């Protein structure tokens, strides 16, 4: 209710601040008898971990997860799974430069407006560090879906735009996303991005990005009408990721410019099953999955922390210029890829269970 | 839970099918002692009502609302407000042409995949007729917010794109939206749209659109962190509207192409208050309102029902061509404007009450 | 959230006041393809209907239910089922005797303290008339459970005490409950009650009662640990019925006086299944059903409206004596029997679906 | 949803098993700027801690609580408060005697029926050890209510019956509850209980109990109608405590035997305020507080673990006799007193915030 939980049946609650002793989450509602070990979660956390290339923050966090409950003799018990990640590199640094001021683009001012509290330690609860908990919950969701939907099920994400540079979709190759530090499916564009981001980084600036997440092997029928639509829940979940300003499904905003003949996916029977001849819908019609791959895309604004001084104000109402030094991602969109995948997995696990509840 | 409710404290549940005896909603959680009469709701329903120009469906529905509970002696009592709208023009028409087939772009196939039921009466529950209930709930939300936030509070929507034709934002004039059948704030573009839509309509085709909804007079501090972010809830609510494929806040997808210096709104003190020098954030930082106007935009795909035959399949798995005759909106995006406004009002009423609960 | 909904997956929301135009409820989350007709609901409403003996209120309400949505061609569609019951005998009577005063035992004062509104029309929302909606929702729940659990499933209620007169449990005969106006399973006690209640009624007084509700054919495994325990949800649901002051499961308060050897149900294998040798637990251990009959009991206080003048106060703070004339149940506990059954059915339908979601 | 959370706005989620590495809870929705330190929580945990007299289990658990998030510079920040309690005395003992068997009175069989998992380590999630988390959450609730309602607010619990021995209410003295190991307000009965329990303990048996919890200083107006009634939520919360079989409010089951003239609390104006001349209602009318002390009572069955052999069955379906050795509370009702207080505080904190949301 107070905003720290996601999902209805598969439901997780995250807690923790960027520079407190630890962060974590409680995953409630997972089915029993799902094999689960810390390594299953760790592998996904490792993908989101900072400091893996020069294009992400140099903060060193091992992000080692511990399972404190809900798993016994290697399988889930059906009771809450408590996951804990210690903050190691929270450096009791000197915050005097930002302690009393609101940084442009950050949530400093709005948290203060809401709560009347200034937790100046690296963004406190509003820090993107919270997304580690999402990735951990997403790892549990993946295990559930793998068991439920079988090996055809897969969630993958890719970066499709950095700054003004979009990929060439004709060169899309999923295999490429492991070959560059951007999860870029287009090798040539990845090179362009490296050059672009080096320039951005040297200038002390930052860049935005667009991420695409695709789920394959999702059966038709998941999602609930009206306010529990699968796309509505995906939109809410993706928009809840730090710095996201837009979400689209399938053809998204481009659909607005289309004519009726072009925008709707025609159908033909194929091997006894309904087959769609295109996927403008992104796998969702009327809020319910149609059996095609689910395609969601979201836009991330440039990192707010930049070296160029920007006009801000202080807590006590004085004009001030703010220049953010320290370790920051020049493009937070990069590390948003595993986070977007986790959101997709969590929403799907929830809807798979909601569907079972009512319709199985 | 089964998807027919929106909101946590200000919470409404809608019910009803396109061609059943009636549709309606139950609005729960409204504060007591808010003046409320049927006329307060009717005026907003009249804006959404079909058949008001040649650019919307010719179905004739008076959409007359009745208040069945929750109001006594002209004010809300704090108990559930039951609103009922009879379906008048539900014509017991001949459905034999679509009864056994799944129409491309519609939810026919996915509802059947989910529920194993084919309610072929004009889309049944998946029909955009349901949005009348949203507008009714939104009218109640507006009354609550007007009392809470005063006369500075206002929610307005405009159509900013039809097909490939976007407005010229330099000509934006709110007064114009009452002067054309499109809620278009740019008189010149409205003319262009009329010509374009006449062509589309004559060809039996349809067009998409983009709607922008703006809320002014919203204080800083509304919204909850992480999964209850104001933008996340707006994204979910807007995406839940029929035919919507994308949602953005403030600069939205354009933010991805920006540099850090340009994307973040700088601040200065002005008359003792924090003033932002731009509004790329669309009034929301870290999921919480910052006192600037809230700006949300959503893309609507072209109407699925078109005269051109499209490839579909039948319930029993045969290939078939589907051509949809009958009374349809050539651009459903037009009537989505009051629906988008209603979603904005409902989400804000809910968050205003959630904020009071925890932080007042 | 504002208190007018019950259940998580099988969830209904009721609305309406005692003397408004109608009351009703929206049942959301019902599985699709369940046969459902108005007659299925009407038969249960008829059991709760007032005016069927001299021991219940003489208000004449046909309580005719209409299904407005969610059912098509005789089966549920999986979308919300809107049920409406018109208030026929709401007599625009003269309320001047209670309009400005708070009646002892009633919710007049507390509703006013909460909402600042005095809906003096026969109790408004706090009237037991709301329970008709519960019975209607319960009828839908019964249909779901009948299909899910088969013919072994049955929910039955009985009155086991009126005033100080408890039944003799040795004479319990379910067949008797249809033979007297009290749903009394002990024919001899039913006679005693008739005499007692005639006396109470003639004196213008009222009597309390205890109701027992039993569900048979419920499989082991329903219920969720800790805060979603089956007994916790039953306790909440039963306590939410008007005038209820206590709830117990199985041996209930009597368990407090027992020794460990006597309080716990021993087990033996029988025909390959676990069989309990007694049922002190009332069918629930650790919040989860154990396969034995579920047994819940609740206490109803005497009707608040009595002829004897009682000390009350007025809305504007003056001492006053209140004497309630009009048509009232001398023992509201009688008509609480079908309501208690409905609560049991609704809680079970919800938990059956919750169980399917997570554990099937 | 899966049963491990309580509350709507003030909402906590507990996790952990009796013999895992730790237990804990996440408290979400607490207002910001409430002073909170570990000591504030520890003092209440110390009251529930085992091993403080010969009448409770000899398991040695320091129950030292750590605050991992949500508190900064001594006050709550409005973000989730993560509380962790390590299990110290979880002894990797030999479970071979119960590993494969279902103990009568325990949740062994029902958890297995639900989840298909046998977590035999001391009851796993169903152990009363979970109640430490409740007491911790309750401590946070008390801080919130103290700030909101002032010094008149107080929640206190007492044991009013052990086995067949009820206290003499005429001797009720709150000061006495600190003078005996039973929270007994009647010194004389406390002596009787000591003798009775010594006998029970020596015989390897166990005893049940009744606990009464009273909240003073609660303003009129808290609670929501119908399904969110304050008494319904209290009933659900109390019934969710381990081993509870009955809950009553005010006169409770005794109200069933009363006549209308006796059961309802009359009112008179006193010092400009409404004053009730008795408190049969236990402070709640129509589900809403009336300003009088809230009085809730609940019955706890005898501890299930006893030395006398009882008939049980094994996981693989063989008859077996079960005799439970080890460290157990002869009367779990004793340590249920602080747990009942915590439930009262949590429900009230939630309802105080719910009331603010809608009606302030």
């Amino acid at each position: 209710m107070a905003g720290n939980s996601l999902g209805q049946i598969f439901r997780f609650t995250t807690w923790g601040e960027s520079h407190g002793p630890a962060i974590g989450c409680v995953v409630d509602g997972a089915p029993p008898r799902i094999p689960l070990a810390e390594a299953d979660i760790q592998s996904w956390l490792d993908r989101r971990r900072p400091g893996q290339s020069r294009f992400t923050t140099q903060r060193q966090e091992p992000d080692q997860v511990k399972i404190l409950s809900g798993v016994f003799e290697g399988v889930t018990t059906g009771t809450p799974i408590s996951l804990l990640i210690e903050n190691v590199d929270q450096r009791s640094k000197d915050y005097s430069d930002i302690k009393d001021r609101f940084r442009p683009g950050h949530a400093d001012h709005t948290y203060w407006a809401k709560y009347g509290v200034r937790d100046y330690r690296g963004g406190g609860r509003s820090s993107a560090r919270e997304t580690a908990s999402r990735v951990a919950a997403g790892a549990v969701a993946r295990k559930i879906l793998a068991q439920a939907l079988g090996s055809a099920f897969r969630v993958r994400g890719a970066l499709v735009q950095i700054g003004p540079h979009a990929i060439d979709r004709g060169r899309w190759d999923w295999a490429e996303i492991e070959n560059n530090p951007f999860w870029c499916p287009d090798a040539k564009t990845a090179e362009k991005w490296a050059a672009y981001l080096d320039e951005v980084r040297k200038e002390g600036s930052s860049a935005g990005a667009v991420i695409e997440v695709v789920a394959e092997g999702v059966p038709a029928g998941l999602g609930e009408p009206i306010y529990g639509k699968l796309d509505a829940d995906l939109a809410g979940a993706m928009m809840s990721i730090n710095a996201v300003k837009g979400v689209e499904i399938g053809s998204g905003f481009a659909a607005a410019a289309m004519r009726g003949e072009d925008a709707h996916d025609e159908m033909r029977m194929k091997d006894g099953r309904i087959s769609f001849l295109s996927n403008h819908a992104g796998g969702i019609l009327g809020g319910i999955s149609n059996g095609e791959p689910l395609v969601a895309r979201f836009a991330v604004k440039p990192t707010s922390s930049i070296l160029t001084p920007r006009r801000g104000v202080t807590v006590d109402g004085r004009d001030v210029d703010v220049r953010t030094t320290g370790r920051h991602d020049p493009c937070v969109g990069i590390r948003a890829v595993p986070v977007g995948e986790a959101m997709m997995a969590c929403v799907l696990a929830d809807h798979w269970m909601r569907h079972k509840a009512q319709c199985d």
Side-chain angles (χ1 to χ4, degrees), chain A:
Chain A
M1 177 71 194
N4 298 288
S5 302
L6 189 78
Q8 305 237 0
I9 296 183
F10 177 83
R11 181 178 184 85
F12 66 94
T13 301
T14 74
W15 55 268
E17 286 87 44
S18 173
H19 288 66
I23 60 171
C25 66
V26 181
V27 179
D28 202 6
R33 303 185 308 277
I34 307 281
L36 185 70
E38 285 167 357
D40 294 319
I41 302 169
Q42 195 61 50
S43 62
W44 299 106
L45 280 171
D46 289 348
R47 291 166 72 93
R48 195 210 70 103
R49 195 151 47 84
Q52 304 192 85
S53 83
R54 68 182 185 275
F55 304 110
T56 57
T57 172
Q58 297 307 304
R59 178 170 172 168
Q60 293 299 331
E61 283 291 354
D63 279 353
Q64 206 71 37
V65 70
K66 282 183 206 158
I67 298 175
L68 296 181
S69 68
V71 175
F72 183 56
E73 299 183 334
V75 296
T76 59
T77 59
T79 60
I81 302 167
S82 177
L83 302 175
L84 185 126
I85 299 167
E86 284 176 46
N87 287 330
V88 170
D89 189 12
Q90 80 267 45
R91 292 194 192 176
S92 65
K93 64 172 255 188
D94 181 11
Y95 291 107
S96 53
D97 55 340
I98 58 160
K99 186 170 181 175
D100 68 336
R101 56 192 61 184
F102 300 139
R103 297 166 295 168
H106 280 279
D108 300 349
H109 161 249
T110 53
Y111 268 63
W112 181 83
K114 182 170 198 70
Y115 298 121
V117 172
R118 175 90 186 94
D119 182 351
Y120 47 77
R121 302 166 301 167
R125 180 72 180 148
S126 72
S127 162
R129 178 134 189 78
E130 187 271 346
T131 58
S133 295
R134 300 178 188 234
V135 171
V140 180
R142 283 178 194 264
K143 294 288 285 187
I144 295 169
L145 291 163
Q147 176 143 330
L149 306 178
S151 61
F153 173 73
R154 183 157 57 170
V155 172
R156 288 184 292 191
L159 212 54
V160 297
Q161 183 181 328
I162 287 188
H165 306 294
I167 60 162
D168 177 342
R169 302 184 77 92
R171 286 199 296 259
W172 190 299
D173 178 1
W174 277 112
E176 282 301 321
I177 64 171
E178 307 290 346
N179 295 337
N180 59 69
F182 307 112
W183 323 103
C184 180
D186 164 7
K188 257 194 156 153
T189 299
E191 288 170 35
K192 199 193 297 177
W193 289 351
Y196 175 74
L197 273 188
D198 275 332
E199 180 200 314
V200 162
R201 199 164 46 90
K202 278 169 198 157
E203 293 175 11
S205 185
S206 62
V210 177
I211 290 92
E212 183 165 321
V213 180
V214 179
E216 293 161 282
V218 177
L222 301 198
E224 289 173 352
I226 318 297
Y227 308 104
K229 284 179 173 168
L230 187 54
D231 39 1
D233 280 3
L234 284 172
M238 298 299 179
M239 190 66 94
S240 81
I241 301 172
N242 305 51
V244 172
K245 299 305 287 182
V247 183
E248 54 183 21
I249 303 293
S251 293
F253 276 86
M258 291 181 183
R259 293 281 290 263
E261 303 84 65
D262 306 318
H264 303 294
D265 308 306
E266 298 183 280
M267 291 172 256
R268 276 292 171 257
M269 296 306 295
K270 197 176 155 186
D271 306 331
R273 297 183 55 249
I274 290 173
S275 167
F276 288 84
L277 309 183
S278 55
N279 193 13
H280 295 295
I284 303 176
L285 283 169
I288 300 172
S289 64
N290 67 5
E292 296 295 310
L294 302 182
V295 181
R297 222 170 286 110
F298 58 95
V300 176
K301 69 178 183 181
T303 314
S304 303
S305 298
I306 55 174
L307 286 173
T308 314
R310 309 302 294 158
R311 286 172 284 184
V313 301
T314 63
V315 175
D316 51 0
R318 285 174 299 107
D319 288 349
V320 71
D321 281 0
V322 180
R323 180 174 172 273
T324 320
T325 57
R327 306 160 299 165
H328 298 289
D329 291 276
C331 175
V332 279
I334 300 170
R335 293 204 291 134
V337 174
V339 181
E341 292 174 356
M343 293 291 90
M344 175 68 87
C346 290
V347 168
L348 286 175
D350 189 37
H351 272 283
W352 173 68
M353 293 170 79
R354 286 157 77 168
H355 180 73
K356 269 205 310 170
Q358 188 184 8
C359 297
D360 254 17

